[in-house]
Amino acid sequence: ELSSAGKGYRAECYAAEPTPPNSINERTIVDAPAVGEAIRRAVRRAGTTTKHVAIAISSDATILRKIPLERTRSPRELEAKVEASMGQVIPFQIEEVSYDFELLGPSASDPDMDEVLLVATRRENVDQRAQAVQNAGLIPEVVDVEQYAVENACRLMAHQMPEGGVGRSVAIVDFGASTTTFSVLKDLSIVYTRDFAFGGQQLTEEIMRTYGLSMEEAGRAKKEGGLPSNFQPEVLDPFIDDMTQQVSRSLQFYLASGSGRDQPEQILVCGGCANIPGVADVIASRVGIAAEKGDPLGQMKLSSKAKAMGVKKDATALLTACGLALR
């Protein structure tokens, strides 16, 4: 939970709670009551009294299109034109879709037309997330897209970017538990994003296999240490190699995705895996681009409640959450 504090923000409270096993499958909530119960526990531990929340749909479950439309005078007319054009860009029945749109202004290719950003997803994607937070006694006020939440949060890391990110190209790699998102910002706006199956869960599973630990024990050992001396060379170093290869591959995909693509000037490494000591330096040396750990809370005031819950320790994993809280 964030609040305004002068020209910046203050982290009021925070909690993280593991989702129950098998309750989420590839970003699809399959057990909304179980996820709702986990959210309820997190809210209780965080100590917040806020009921209204922002949630996000993953970018790969949304359709984002910029569409040119004839200029209209009334919002109602614009909405009718958007609905009429949806059949050409969305492969679902309109009744199955949740959508929103924003007028971006005159089209660059035709000054007599307006450009509209259309965002749509299957209604079930919204319903399953809304159901989970409602089961926790919360009210979903905003449904965002993860890509835009991350873009929002990146302004909190502008102090780490060359020239504050203005006029610059910066890559953000957000290593999640099972999915990693690679994004490129130009002038603090996302121009490219790619999700792929890779994350800290693979390191946890390797620790389980190598040392015969349970999922819970492996997760704790990963964060707190205490593993045998062969952990670094036999388990951690190969995982860091995999992280580096994923970044390198994502850069290649980005450079090949369109004309005029330039190598980013900097990489900000986020997500839980960014806390592995020295990982940003290894990525920088292997891919040849300056890299550092991204910290969206770096210039933020912290309440004593948020500090006590360890928000600073988990800051690098809170990119999407910060972007949503800014709403």
Side-chain angles (χ1 to χ4, degrees):
E1 180 185 348
L2 301 182
S3 64
S4 294
K7 289 184 177 177
Y9 299 94
R10 182 171 121 123
E12 293 295 347
C13 59
Y14 157 80
E17 184 73 24
T19 47
N22 307 318
S23 61
I24 295 178
N25 179 28
E26 292 187 356
R27 300 194 180 192
T28 299
I29 296 173
V30 291
D31 189 346
V35 174
E37 195 47 50
I39 295 170
R40 189 189 294 277
R41 286 196 297 274
V43 168
R44 192 164 54 234
R45 284 175 50 234
T48 179
T49 55
T50 300
K51 290 289 181 202
H52 293 263
V53 299
I55 58 181
I57 307 291
S58 63
S59 303
D60 55 5
T62 53
I63 296 167
L64 312 173
R65 291 283 186 278
K66 289 180 182 175
I67 50 176
L69 293 174
E70 283 181 18
R71 190 154 299 146
T72 56
R73 297 198 176 275
S74 77
R76 186 167 290 177
E77 203 181 330
L78 176 63
E79 184 162 3
K81 282 186 180 296
V82 170
E83 282 195 6
S85 66
M86 279 173 64
Q88 298 162 34
V89 291
I90 293 174
F92 310 116
Q93 297 294 322
I94 195 164
E95 311 81 56
E96 297 175 20
V97 169
S98 290
Y99 73 95
D100 200 358
F101 61 90
E102 188 169 333
L103 182 61
L104 300 177
S107 166
S109 57
D110 185 347
D112 295 329
M113 304 279 277
D114 277 332
E115 196 164 61
V116 174
L117 174 67
L118 173 67
V119 181
T121 188
R122 299 285 295 254
R123 193 177 290 277
E124 64 201 38
N125 293 325
V126 175
D127 290 347
Q128 62 186 216
R129 284 162 174 75
Q131 188 64 58
V133 295
Q134 286 162 348
N135 286 346
L138 303 172
I139 301 157
E141 185 88 355
V142 169
V143 182
D144 208 336
V145 178
E146 283 182 12
Q147 173 180 328
Y148 295 134
V150 168
E151 183 177 280
N152 236 352
C154 282
R155 69 177 195 255
L156 300 174
M157 301 191 295
H159 64 283
Q160 294 183 267
M161 301 176 191
E163 307 293 335
V166 177
R168 298 305 188 98
S169 175
V170 176
I172 312 288
V173 193
D174 189 8
F175 289 98
S178 58
T179 306
T180 293
T181 302
F182 176 89
S183 308
V184 178
L185 295 147
K186 273 197 175 173
D187 212 16
L188 293 173
S189 293
I190 287 183
V191 294
Y192 175 85
T193 190
R194 172 181 178 254
D195 292 336
F196 51 93
F198 179 85
Q201 187 71 25
Q202 283 163 244
L203 178 57
T204 308
E205 287 168 3
E206 193 54 43
I207 292 170
M208 287 169 63
R209 266 198 303 272
T210 306
Y211 303 109
L213 301 176
S214 70
M215 176 78 76
E216 203 173 308
E217 290 165 341
R220 197 179 310 120
K222 183 171 78 171
K223 280 189 171 180
E224 296 169 11
L227 288 162
S229 58
N230 69 345
F231 168 63
Q232 174 93 29
E234 291 187 18
V235 179
L236 187 59
D237 287 347
F239 179 75
I240 293 172
D241 286 344
D242 286 347
M243 286 177 71
T244 307
Q245 282 175 6
Q246 295 292 346
V247 174
S248 182
R249 192 173 297 149
S250 295
L251 281 166
Q252 288 166 11
F253 277 121
Y254 165 65
L255 293 171
S257 67
S259 59
R261 299 289 200 203
D262 297 322
Q263 192 92 293
E265 299 167 64
Q266 181 195 37
I267 299 170
L268 290 178
V269 186
C270 300
C273 297
N275 287 321
I276 296 171
V279 75
D281 293 337
V282 175
I283 289 171
S285 68
R286 303 260 180 94
V287 301
I289 298 174
E292 63 179 279
K293 183 165 83 169
D295 182 6
L297 303 186
Q299 294 197 313
M300 208 181 281
K301 296 181 174 68
L302 305 177
S303 74
S304 54
K305 197 190 287 184
K307 268 186 194 163
M309 291 301 288
V311 72
K312 196 69 188 158
K313 179 169 59 58
D314 284 342
T316 190
L318 299 179
L319 204 55
T320 305
C322 280
L324 291 174
L326 287 172
R327 295 292 302 266

